[in-house]
Amino acid sequence: RLATPGLRICHHRSACGNCSVNSEQRYFTSDADYNEFLSTTSKARRPSAIRSLQPLVNLPGMISLGGGMPNAATFPFEKLTMQCRSGLELTLAGKALEEALQYSATPGLPALNAFLLGMQLKEHTPPECAGVERALTITQGSQDGLSKVFDMLLDANDALLVESPTYSGSLAYLQPKGCRLIEIETDDGGLMPDKLEATLRNWDPECGPRPKVLYTIPTGSNPTGASLSLERKKLIYEISSEFNLLILEDDPYYYLRLEGDRSQHPSFLELDTDARVIRFDSFSKILSSGMRIGFVTGPKPLIERVNLHTQASNLHPTGITQAMILGLLQHWGEEGWEKHLKSVCTFYRTQRGHFLKSAETHLTGLVEWNTPNAGMFVWMKLLGIDDTLELIQTKAVKSNVLFVPGSVFYANPRPSQYVRAAYSTASPQDMDTALERLAHLLTE
């Protein structure tokens, strides 16, 4: 086993006097094995009687008088055409357009769902797990998937393990739920396995039940830009297996690898021998954020619970954007998809280079930072500043430059010396001007 100093993992197959938990290795072999992870709300969800009819509507010979579907003849749209920057023109018309405009299956358009599941299985090659099938559901962006999975797994006062710092969008959803957010320290390499192991092994029962879920952003983390190495992922997975944790792998920057080949950086899903990983992907960073299409991959019993939530909320993801993406991916094929990803990564790699060059010019001696190998963020420590909140929210705004103060990325509020900068949209000249303005604020 890969070793980290100070990290002790027990692999005994029964209760062990050296461990504080029963360390028998956990495997999921049936739907019932996941019941202990479900929230009270999720356990109470039942299939929608009307939504349950949807998969049956298109069966040969079926006459539907059941669902309240509007008649497609009343829709004013006859054809939708999409012009790509490359000159490619894709058209939605006839049956494909009618399907996109009509109520559709809860997990997404069947053709797109099947396409994405096939893509996931090929990209991540998750190990086969006896008794547990993997499934995929399409969501209104990965944020929609995250919120539904948080609801599925967490009751008020439950404990959730989160990176410190972590994505503020997830915190904005989690904090009002009343669950306890247990921060795990990170460094330049992301989540620290020894800190995770120590938190779990030394858990005080008086603090309530031990956490059952870990939430992590393994690639180009928002806000730090850090990416987990394969060694760390293996250690984190082993710890999760010992303590029977589900892993929420929030990976919207997976395809924005700026150094090396992504095949050299296996995902948690690829390591998932126990069927304990729920993976979140998004098209927001690589096709369009306004399309609001993400997808969640994981054990079928849990994905079906997400679908029950969707049945009771937004019914299904938007049909038009799903159809647009399906048409584009089918036209591109694997070769076109990889060509597009290479182009996107080249763009952000160039943006990163401009940002770092300007940072070296204006901020050397005033700010410390690390070079991210994925994503679109730089996590900067402002030297001599105990808390960046006032500087960033007041003085920087008056100087016409925007950053995000580091304090908003911590589950438990505290002063922070850090700020998050994004190099995704500003021009090289504007990035240079922005960092020059920050330098003036730090020296005035």
Side-chain angles (χ1 to χ4, degrees):
R1 185 182 64 81
L2 294 168
T4 291
L7 181 63
R8 177 173 58 87
I9 301 293
C10 176
H11 290 287
H12 296 164
R13 295 280 179 159
S14 59
C16 173
N18 296 323
C19 302
S20 59
V21 296
N22 185 321
S23 56
E24 182 176 357
Q25 196 164 8
R26 310 290 184 92
Y27 294 100
F28 299 96
T29 58
S30 69
D31 293 10
D33 291 338
Y34 294 99
N35 287 346
E36 67 178 279
F37 294 93
L38 299 179
S39 67
T40 303
T41 299
S42 185
K43 288 177 181 177
R45 292 194 186 280
R46 297 293 180 267
S48 163
I50 295 175
R51 284 266 89 200
S52 297
L53 298 177
Q54 191 62 44
L56 308 177
V57 170
N58 294 321
L59 292 179
M62 183 65 68
I63 299 173
S64 176
L65 301 179
M69 299 170 67
N71 195 304
T74 67
F75 299 163
F77 308 100
E78 183 174 356
K79 181 172 65 175
L80 295 177
T81 301
M82 168 174 61
Q83 182 85 37
C84 297
R85 294 181 188 273
S86 64
L88 171 67
E89 188 174 280
L90 296 174
T91 299
L92 276 178
K95 185 177 180 180
L97 178 60
E98 181 178 323
E99 182 184 36
L101 292 171
Q102 187 58 273
Y103 288 128
S104 58
T106 297
L109 294 179
L112 180 60
N113 188 294
F115 188 100
L116 294 178
L117 181 58
M119 185 174 78
Q120 290 291 78
L121 296 178
K122 183 175 182 179
E123 178 75 25
H124 302 284
T125 59
E128 291 188 8
C129 299
V132 179
E133 181 182 352
R134 288 187 176 84
L136 180 146
T137 191
I138 301 170
T139 55
Q140 293 289 106
S142 61
Q143 185 79 26
D144 177 46
L146 283 168
S147 64
K148 288 171 179 174
V149 170
F150 290 148
D151 277 350
M152 175 180 71
L153 300 176
L154 298 168
D155 284 315
N157 295 319
D158 278 347
L160 172 68
L161 297 159
V162 299
E163 294 167 335
S164 180
T166 192
Y167 174 43
S168 60
S170 290
L171 293 179
Y173 190 86
L174 288 165
Q175 286 166 334
K177 282 186 66 66
C179 55
R180 292 172 295 129
L181 303 178
I182 310 302
E183 295 181 279
I184 306 298
E185 188 178 345
T186 63
D187 60 12
D188 297 343
L191 180 66
M192 300 172 69
D194 58 333
K195 302 297 183 182
L196 174 64
E197 194 265 352
T199 297
L200 291 166
R201 195 167 301 286
N202 300 323
W203 186 262
D204 184 352
E206 292 187 2
C207 294
R210 186 184 284 110
K212 57 186 179 181
V213 184
L214 167 66
Y215 170 63
T216 179
I217 307 170
T219 309
S221 178
N222 181 358
T224 66
S227 297
L228 286 171
S229 66
L230 175 57
E231 178 182 1
R232 285 200 180 188
K233 285 180 181 177
K234 287 181 175 180
L235 289 170
I236 290 167
Y237 192 89
E238 288 187 29
I239 295 165
S240 299
S241 182
E242 178 182 353
F243 289 94
N244 203 26
L245 300 176
L246 294 181
I247 300 174
L248 307 186
E249 182 178 26
D250 184 11
D251 215 0
Y253 306 102
Y254 171 77
Y255 289 105
L256 291 187
R257 277 277 175 189
L258 307 182
E259 304 290 344
D261 191 297
R262 70 178 188 272
S263 64
Q264 301 170 355
H265 304 276
S267 64
F268 278 111
L269 182 59
E270 186 167 341
L271 304 177
D272 191 20
T273 55
D274 297 351
R276 64 176 67 256
V277 173
I278 305 176
R279 179 178 170 82
F280 303 83
D281 286 273
S282 173
F283 284 118
S284 292
K285 312 303 187 293
I286 48 179
L287 290 183
S288 162
S289 52
M291 282 183 160
R292 306 310 303 137
I293 295 294
F295 44 106
V296 184
T297 311
K300 187 174 181 179
L302 296 178
I303 297 300
E304 288 177 340
R305 285 281 145 188
V306 176
N307 290 334
L308 291 181
H309 188 154
T310 300
Q311 287 181 5
S313 54
N314 58 307
L315 304 186
H316 62 81
T318 304
I320 291 293
T321 52
Q322 288 187 82
M324 291 170 64
I325 289 174
L326 176 61
L328 185 61
L329 294 178
Q330 288 178 330
H331 179 86
W332 274 347
E334 184 176 354
E335 183 178 351
W337 168 244
E338 292 295 338
K339 181 179 178 181
H340 174 72
L341 292 177
K342 182 177 179 180
S343 173
V344 173
C345 288
T346 297
F347 174 83
Y348 285 112
R349 190 179 300 113
T350 301
Q351 287 288 100
R352 181 192 64 174
H354 288 306
F355 181 94
L356 295 175
K357 181 179 178 180
S358 293
E360 290 171 3
T361 299
H362 300 295
L363 299 177
T364 298
L366 300 172
V367 175
E368 293 178 351
W369 65 89
N370 291 298
T371 299
N373 60 18
M376 54 183 62
F377 303 112
V378 176
W379 188 236
M380 304 194 300
K381 182 179 182 180
L382 307 192
L383 303 178
I385 304 294
D386 293 329
D387 188 7
T388 62
L389 187 65
E390 174 67 19
L391 176 72
I392 296 305
Q393 290 191 339
T394 302
K395 294 181 179 180
V397 172
K398 289 180 180 179
S399 296
N400 289 327
V401 61
L402 298 179
F403 298 91
V404 183
S407 57
V408 306
F409 298 102
Y410 291 92
N412 301 300
R414 74 196 66 177
S416 173
Q417 291 183 271
Y418 289 87
V419 299
R420 191 199 74 180
Y423 49 79
S424 52
T425 60
S427 68
Q429 181 178 352
D430 283 347
M431 283 191 279
D432 191 74
T433 300
L435 297 185
E436 183 178 20
R437 289 174 181 173
L438 177 60
H440 286 161
L441 290 172
L442 294 173
T443 54
E444 66 179 10

